[in-house]
Structure formats: structure tokens, C-alpha cells
Amino acid sequence: MMFLIFSAIILAAAAQEMYVEPYEGYPEWYISSPQRHRRDVTLDRKMGDGRVYGTLGQNDNGLFGKAGYDHQIFNDGRGKLTGGVSGTRVLGPYGDSSHLGGGLNWQNSNAAASLDVSKQIHGPTSWNAGAGGRWPVGKNGDFSLQGTYGKTSGMRPQFGGMGNFNYRF
């Protein structure tokens, strides 16, 4: 008899634990609440032969800021040479990071070259360089060569190259 009463209590307790109220969806006030808009602050101003830019903002991953300066060094018979520096700062729930970088880009009518340097604060430095040129061959053809070099601190350098001969019939 005691066994039947004990079994009935266990069965009633198990049945009570299995009961789940039906889901009726989100309340109307939750769905119709206004969406939060991004509140970024952006600056982009021309200064002489250069440009200053920056952004402060926030998204689901945290706070961020980016600022930089681009400058045209010369644009004449030697070609066009531009340079720039930039920095970023990110504050997030999974950690913070800061990056600094800069680069030079040169080009003329049939050649181009670039050099980019990037440094993560308390992290690696990376260097990337590339150059290429294109020269006409005859009336309908051209020959081009390109080369790249990349190096990140603590890693092996990476090299690349390509040559093409194009002829249009």
C-alpha cells in the first residue's frame, strides 16, 4: 500500500514538471519599440594637398575609432606619389586592439608601386610591397610584369610574381 502511494506521488510530481505553458509570442510593446540608430561621428576634411578623416562609433561588437591623413606628395612628369597614415582603436567585450599603419603609392602611365606598413600595438608588424609595369609591344600588344613581397613578424616572407604578354587581333 505504501508503495502505491509513493508511486502516485512520484508520478504526480513528474507530470507537474512536464507541463509547459504554451508560447504566445512577444508582447506588442516589445515588438513595436523604436529601433536604436547608429550614432557615428564622422569627419572628412580637405587640407591643402591632403585629407583628414576620422570616425567614432559603436556597434554590437563594441566601441571603435579610426583616424587618418592622406597626402598627395607630387603629381607631375615623374608620376603621382601619395602617402597616408592611419590608426584604429577598438574596445570590445572580447578584448581591445590598436593598429597603426601607413603607406606610399606611386604610379605613372605604365608602372606602379606601393609599400604598406602596419603595426598592431603589442602585436606583429607587417610589410607589404608590390610593383608592376606594362609596356606596349607593337601596335596591338603589351607586356606586363608584377611582383609582390609580404612579411609579418614571426612568419616567413611571402613572394609573388607574374608576367603576361597580351596581343589583341
Side-chain angles (χ1 to χ4, degrees):
M1 178 77 166
M2 193 63 144
F3 176 73
L4 288 175
I5 294 173
F6 185 69
S7 297
I9 292 173
I10 298 259
L11 186 61
Q16 180 65 27
E17 292 293 323
M18 297 298 280
Y19 177 74
V20 177
E21 291 189 27
Y23 176 72
E24 296 179 13
Y26 293 109
E28 184 64 32
W29 62 266
Y30 184 80
I31 295 171
S32 63
S33 65
Q35 296 291 323
R36 194 170 106 191
H37 299 286
R38 288 186 67 164
R39 290 177 261 162
D40 294 348
V41 177
T42 302
L43 167 75
D44 192 351
R45 185 160 301 161
K46 190 170 182 153
M47 298 181 73
D49 287 340
R51 173 177 83 96
V52 175
Y53 60 91
T55 301
L56 294 172
Q58 170 186 354
N59 60 21
D60 293 338
N61 296 325
L63 303 171
F64 61 89
K66 179 178 182 176
Y69 177 71
D70 291 332
H71 185 77
Q72 180 174 306
I73 299 167
F74 61 78
N75 187 3
D76 55 18
R78 301 172 286 180
K80 180 180 177 182
L81 180 65
T82 59
V85 295
S86 65
T88 62
R89 176 76 173 148
V90 177
L91 304 173
Y94 304 112
D96 306 339
S97 67
S98 299
H99 295 265
L100 298 173
L104 290 172
N105 295 310
W106 172 80
Q107 64 184 24
N108 69 9
S109 59
N110 62 338
S114 67
L115 172 67
D116 295 311
V117 180
S118 175
K119 169 71 176 155
Q120 180 179 355
I121 304 301
H122 305 296
T125 301
S126 64
W127 297 76
N128 292 305
R134 189 174 102 188
W135 299 272
V137 176
K139 185 176 176 183
N140 294 327
D142 60 58
F143 177 71
S144 65
L145 286 174
Q146 299 175 14
T148 61
Y149 171 79
K151 173 81 170 108
T152 301
S153 298
M155 300 181 79
R156 300 177 102 184
Q158 297 178 347
F159 301 94
M162 182 173 70
N164 283 326
F165 177 73
N166 297 317
Y167 191 80
R168 294 169 289 287
F169 292 98

